[in-house]
Amino acid sequence: MELLIAPLAIAGIAGVLAAFIVVVDMVANNYGEVTIDINDGKKEMTVRGGAPLLVTLSSEGLYLPSACGGRGSCGACKCKITSDVGPHLPTETPYMSPEELKDNIRLACQVKVKADIGIEIPEDLFNVKQFNATVKSIKDVTYDIKEVLFDLGDETVNFEAGKYIQLVIPPYNKIKGSTQRAYSMSSRPANRNQIEVLVRLVPGGIATTYVHEHLKEGQKMDLIGPFGDFRRTKSDSIMLCVAGGSGMAPFKSMLNDMLDTGELNREVWYFFGARTTKDMFYMDEMKVLEEKLPNFHFVPALSEPQEGDGWNGPTGLITDVLDSYLKEKINSEEKVLEGYLCGSPGMIGACNNVMNDNGVTQDNVYYDKFA
Amino acid sequence: MKMTPELKKARENMDPGVITAEGFLGSDTRSLSTIIDEDAQLLRSFEINPADLAERLRHFMEEGRKGLGEPVTVDSDWLVKTDEARGHLVCPWEDGIFRKINVTVERKDNGEKLFFTDLSIHLLEAHGFLEGHGSSFRLEPESIKKILK
């Protein structure tokens, strides 16, 4: 009996302390109902305080972009806070420019809603929805890129070509929580019941591994969107589009949209880079678009063509091909040149330099900087 | 090596869902200090110098980035592809943030592959940490020896 006294006493003390912590937590962290004012009165929501702003907004059906699901590692969920929520956290500052720090731009996943709060977000985000879609088809377009078509059922999506959607990857294998990743939509906006994306396998990548190895036709998956600022301008400027791999997606959508909306005569040069013919795809689709859009020029290029590829087109890095076309083939004397880029930050930086060196002003280069 | 407060904090940060969804330890149940100690011995047994290895991996990453997202041949014998995703990752030791750059190095003669990230190079260089067994980005000394020759 005596042996049990000490453990029982310790267990009792621990129990009392745990109960005390629970009570203190309930009192100290009970923020009650708080109000979120969005865009100076455009929208207002009353919510229970205490959770991160990103989570609070999404629970009310308002979705900010997020590529990491609120882990503070992507820097995508930026929004302006117009009320005092304390200084920037060390987890936020690496993602902020000096101007953003001055303007009180914050990461919504890092700011807790503890009192009434005012925020400013792009009005486009009011149109973002969560879809419970069904995987209609999965096709291999290359050995490492899959074209995934989702059916939205009775739901419809309204988007401009160039925008992206977030796939909500459910927990699988060792991955305990759900994860979100952004993919440009390759579908035509006129097809409002379906969303298509291109997913290139990244070894070790959580979302791409799931799509390539686990996702099945007929399966349900949550999608959130549309997001992004990438879209073509409403002008007659010459479009210089550059992509490689799954960066094809927004341009497939834009070109088909031009067809659907009767924007048939705009001059478009599309430079698509791949290593070998094994990495090249949609050649037939691009050929059909060239026939239907008289001023559309598709310029595929291979950086390392192999013997037996039978390749007669341009070779070299896509930046070199772009540079030579800008110097020798594209006449921009009468029209403004606009750059449209989709790819990794490195690819975007390199293309930006080539464009700037050839007289395309930075203001006229558009991109969404994600892979 | 003892589990110092810094190691304890780093170990907590390595759990799934803290910095990355998968975490850094895979199925490894050894303590972090044991993993680091045993992997240092393993590297020595394969005659791999961590500083030289870090330099080599950085070389592959930088050369691979020149492919602008497409695979590119590096030093004749390897095909290297780098994928850059949006955002950054914090080191579990909280001593730096790193771009999400995934690198695949493939031997052209037999197709064997090695995966690592920008952060893997820092973990090796600054902390002697190769990630746990079963982690997608573990720098397995035996594979390194075989693939990088």
Side-chain angles (χ1 to χ4, degrees), chain A residues 49-93:
Chain A
L53 179 59
L54 181 72
V55 176
T56 306
L57 291 174
S58 64
S59 67
E60 295 293 315
L62 185 58
Y63 300 95
L64 301 189
S66 166
C68 68
R71 286 189 186 86
S73 70
C74 73
C77 61
K78 287 178 182 175
C79 72
K80 181 170 178 159
I81 309 275
T82 55
S83 50
D84 183 14
V85 290
H88 284 86
L89 301 176
T91 45
E92 295 175 273
T93 48

Side-chain angles (χ1 to χ4, degrees), chain A residues 27 42 47 55 79 83 115 119 136-137 152 188 192 228 236 250 252 260 264-265 288 307 330 338 344 354:
Chain A
V27 175
K42 281 263 166 63
V47 298
V55 176
C79 72
S83 50
I119 66 171
K136 189 173 168 69
S137 65
L152 304 182
R188 48 213 313 161
R192 297 178 62 187
D236 65 348
K252 182 187 175 193
D260 292 341
L264 304 178
N265 293 312
V288 170
E307 261 181 58
I330 299 172
E338 288 179 342
S344 66
V354 172

